[in-house]
Amino acid sequence: MNFWNRGYATCIVATCITFAGCGGPSERDLLASAKDFLAAKDESAAIVQLKSALQKNPQSGEARFLLGDALLKSGDPTAALLELEKSRAAKYRDDLILPSLAKALVATGQAKKVSDTLGEVTLADPYAAAELKGMVAIAYFAQGRIDLGEVAVKAAMSLDPKNVTASLLQARLLAGHDQVDGALSLIDQVIARDAKQVDAWQLKGELLWFVKSDSDSAIKAFRQALAVDERFLPSRLTLIRVLMQKGDLEGFKTEVAALKKAAPGRPEALVFETEMALLDQDLKRARDGAQQLIRLAPDNAQIRYLAGLVEFHNGALRVAEDHLNRAMQLVPDLPAARRLLAETHLRSGQPAKALTSLQPLLTHAKPGADVLALAAEAHLQNGDAAKAEAYFSLAAKANPDDPKLRTAMALTEIAKGNADSGLAQLDRLSSSSKSTYSDLALISARLQRNDLDGVAKAIDRLQNKTPDKPLPHLLKARVLSMRKDMVGARASLDKAVATDASYFPCCGGVGSLTWPKGSRMQPSSALKHS
């Protein structure tokens, strides 16, 4: 090699040494860069740097831990678990690894492994010890071992009273024991120490919405969490639900668009788009969305419920019934699916099945007003005016802040024997209210008294309020059949079918217009078979 070649080679070597090697950034530089990205909550960029660091040194326990933690924060607990276990095998620091390892195990459905293997582990660092004990508490709660979970929370709080995980668990326990104000006070203490704790803002919003019924303050709490981290899915998803409940369609659509931007490809966005299509009455788009969701998660009860709701609105009642039955097989205690199944049975002319579907909800200590009203409608459709009247009264009493209370008071008057006064009150309510609740109660009460003229007048008023519903025509057909006007009864059934061809009570013809045996509205045998 001549002088010039030797000089050129020397320069190359010197340059490589200057830049810490020809292979690019060093392991130390990559780790430092990854930590900067993690501090900026850019987990994706951190993961790239950490994988590069591990190419240089696969045995790095620190890189394995940081990669596992980044994967966990980015929503991939399965991959995180593998890296955290490798970090522990490399003898990296247990005080850092174990809290994250416990969180990954819980997230992957291995709560029992957490309580069995980490429940008695002690760590020297108070913060890490409290964090681990908090995750052990969560693991116990996930297994339904509430008493042990409460003990673990108490231990975590004693280790570090300011630990965020332990404090928020304690707040949840207080709320569960009807000490909501104490729970909110504890959450506010967490936020006062660090206003960037998104989990604290989320829990505050949940308590304000679910328990305090203060949706406006809840919305502010969820927005505070998103101001800290716009990708924080729990707050984004709950905010969308609150806006939907409030009927703020523009806000709902804006937040769904933000969800798609912040978390592209998330199935939740497709769920909300499907619900949005329902709100827009775009049934084809709603059905397409529901079918995509079923392909993605055929065994998800909430998705089955949504698919049932879409098919219910499409008039495909048999398909809706299949989806709703599947939802309840997956999660038997799913009230929304049970209520919708009862509505599906009612619309398909199966009041007995509707009552069977409602039965578990009716046996609750305090059935909701909507459940009681569905039971009343089932009895009304079945021709049992007395039970319908009783359930309408119970439904109104279940929600004393509702205007329906006046309907209940009128029904109570009738039950006391003051029929004229009670019926007059119902008649005034029916005339003054846009709701159909008092109309149905009035129809039930007048049917119970065989006041066919009064029933016909009440049905006319109901029809004026709901010109697009088949029930008034069906009720009118039944009254006409009781008056032996079979031509008029058939004409009313035809109108009911024209209003909603899938409303099966109308499809049995005039012969189906019978009342239960023993009812004072029982038609003659000749009418029953005409």
Side-chain angles (χ1 to χ4, degrees):
M1 181 182 291
N2 61 32
F3 171 81
W4 291 107
N5 287 339
R6 285 197 303 272
Y8 183 67
T10 303
C11 286
I12 292 175
V13 172
T15 302
C16 289
I17 292 171
T18 301
F19 288 96
C22 298
S26 68
E27 177 192 353
R28 179 178 295 179
D29 292 337
L30 289 166
L31 287 177
S33 175
K35 289 176 182 177
D36 289 339
F37 283 125
L38 287 172
K41 297 187 182 300
D42 188 348
E43 285 83 17
S44 297
I47 288 168
V48 172
Q49 299 294 80
L50 291 165
K51 287 182 176 179
S52 296
L54 284 167
Q55 287 180 346
K56 292 181 176 296
N57 180 10
Q59 306 306 316
S60 171
E62 182 181 13
R64 292 286 179 195
F65 162 71
L66 290 172
L67 179 56
D69 202 44
L71 289 165
L72 187 59
K73 289 173 180 174
S74 68
D76 190 351
T78 302
L81 191 57
L82 292 173
E83 297 301 331
L84 292 168
E85 286 174 339
K86 289 179 181 178
S87 178
R88 197 178 188 200
K91 306 296 183 184
Y92 194 57
R93 295 168 53 186
D94 270 358
D95 60 328
L96 293 178
I97 296 171
L98 293 187
S100 294
L101 182 64
K103 189 177 294 186
L105 285 167
V106 169
T108 53
Q110 301 180 68
K112 190 173 186 302
K113 186 174 181 179
V114 173
S115 56
D116 287 352
T117 63
L118 301 176
E120 301 302 324
V121 172
T122 57
L123 298 173
D125 179 69
Y127 171 84
E131 191 72 12
L132 177 59
K133 193 62 73 174
M135 291 310 306
V136 169
I138 292 172
Y140 279 130
F141 291 138
Q143 297 171 72
R145 301 163 75 179
I146 307 302
D147 292 345
L148 290 174
E150 291 189 1
V151 170
V153 172
K154 186 177 180 180
M157 289 294 287
S158 67
L159 287 165
D160 181 3
K162 294 183 179 180
N163 180 271
V164 173
T165 300
S167 296
L168 296 183
L169 284 171
Q170 180 65 21
R172 288 187 182 276
L173 289 175
L174 288 171
H177 292 299
D178 294 326
Q179 300 178 49
V180 180
D181 290 336
L184 288 169
S185 175
L186 186 55
I187 294 168
D188 285 339
Q189 292 174 39
V190 172
I191 291 171
R193 290 193 292 268
D194 182 0
K196 292 186 178 182
Q197 289 293 340
V198 289
D199 289 317
W201 287 114
Q202 172 66 18
L203 181 54
K204 182 175 182 175
E206 289 174 2
L207 293 179
L208 289 168
W209 183 33
F210 292 126
V211 183
K212 292 288 191 179
S213 299
D214 186 352
S215 56
D216 290 336
S217 296
I219 287 171
K220 290 179 182 177
F222 297 134
R223 291 199 187 283
Q224 286 283 0
L226 293 170
V228 175
D229 183 359
E230 66 175 9
R231 298 172 303 160
F232 187 60
L233 279 181
S235 287
R236 183 76 67 190
L237 297 175
T238 321
L239 175 60
I240 291 171
R241 288 289 178 207
V242 180
L243 293 170
M244 176 184 283
Q245 184 194 62
K246 285 175 65 68
D248 183 353
L249 296 186
E250 289 306 312
F252 172 79
K253 292 178 180 179
T254 299
E255 291 302 329
V256 171
L259 171 64
K260 292 174 66 178
K261 180 181 177 182
R266 294 286 303 196
E268 291 91 343
L270 182 54
V271 169
F272 289 127
E273 285 187 319
T274 303
E275 292 177 346
M276 193 187 303
L278 271 179
L279 290 172
D280 292 339
Q281 298 185 10
D282 187 343
L283 297 181
K284 181 183 182 304
R285 183 159 57 94
R287 175 176 272 173
D288 289 344
Q291 289 174 348
Q292 287 183 57
L293 287 166
I294 290 291
R295 287 193 292 271
L296 286 171
D299 293 328
N300 183 291
Q302 290 291 347
I303 286 174
R304 285 286 181 176
Y305 163 70
L306 178 57
L309 183 63
V310 169
E311 295 302 340
F312 177 85
H313 284 286
N314 270 298
L317 301 182
R318 183 69 63 82
V319 180
E321 188 175 340
D322 289 343
H323 283 307
L324 295 168
N325 278 322
R326 179 59 181 150
M328 290 196 301
Q329 287 172 5
L330 293 164
V331 181
D333 187 17
L334 192 61
R338 194 169 286 282
R339 287 194 299 268
L340 184 58
L341 182 60
E343 286 192 69
T344 304
H345 289 321
L346 286 174
R347 191 171 168 189
S348 59
Q350 304 176 81
K353 279 191 173 182
L355 289 169
T356 299
S357 296
L358 289 171
Q359 193 57 40
L361 300 178
L362 291 169
T363 57
H364 285 183
K366 293 182 179 180
D370 53 348
V371 173
L372 293 164
L374 282 173
E377 188 176 341
H379 285 299
L380 182 61
Q381 191 182 109
N382 219 14
D384 193 338
K387 284 188 177 179
E389 184 178 340
Y391 272 108
F392 277 128
S393 180
L394 288 171
K397 290 178 181 177
N399 191 355
D401 296 326
D402 195 284
K404 295 173 183 176
L405 177 60
R406 288 177 293 168
T407 301
M409 292 170 65
L411 292 172
T412 302
E413 278 292 299
I414 295 171
K416 289 177 181 177
N418 303 323
D420 291 341
S421 172
L423 288 169
Q425 289 179 47
L426 285 177
D427 194 63
R428 287 194 297 272
L429 286 167
S430 173
S431 300
S432 62
S433 173
K434 293 181 180 180
S435 167
T436 61
Y437 190 84
S438 54
D439 300 272
L440 292 172
L442 179 61
I443 291 168
S444 297
R446 291 203 181 279
L447 275 173
Q448 179 69 8
R449 283 146 193 82
N450 210 19
D451 176 7
L452 298 187
D453 289 337
V455 171
K457 182 180 177 182
I459 292 172
D460 286 340
R461 190 177 290 153
L462 176 64
Q463 186 176 339
N464 288 334
K465 290 182 180 180
T466 58
D468 59 338
K469 301 295 182 185
L471 180 59
H473 298 293
L474 175 64
L475 293 173
K476 188 177 291 187
R478 282 185 166 170
V479 171
L480 289 169
S481 73
M482 292 166 65
R483 286 177 162 164
K484 301 184 182 182
D485 181 358
M486 308 316 296
V487 174
R490 288 190 180 94
S492 287
L493 282 178
D494 288 342
K495 289 178 181 177
V497 172
T499 304
D500 186 349
S502 63
Y503 192 64
F504 288 0
C506 310
C507 301
V510 178
S512 67
L513 300 175
T514 59
W515 300 93
K517 208 167 186 178
S519 167
R520 282 185 284 174
M521 281 70 74
Q522 181 77 13
S524 69
S525 59
L527 281 174
K528 206 180 345 179
H529 298 293
S530 62

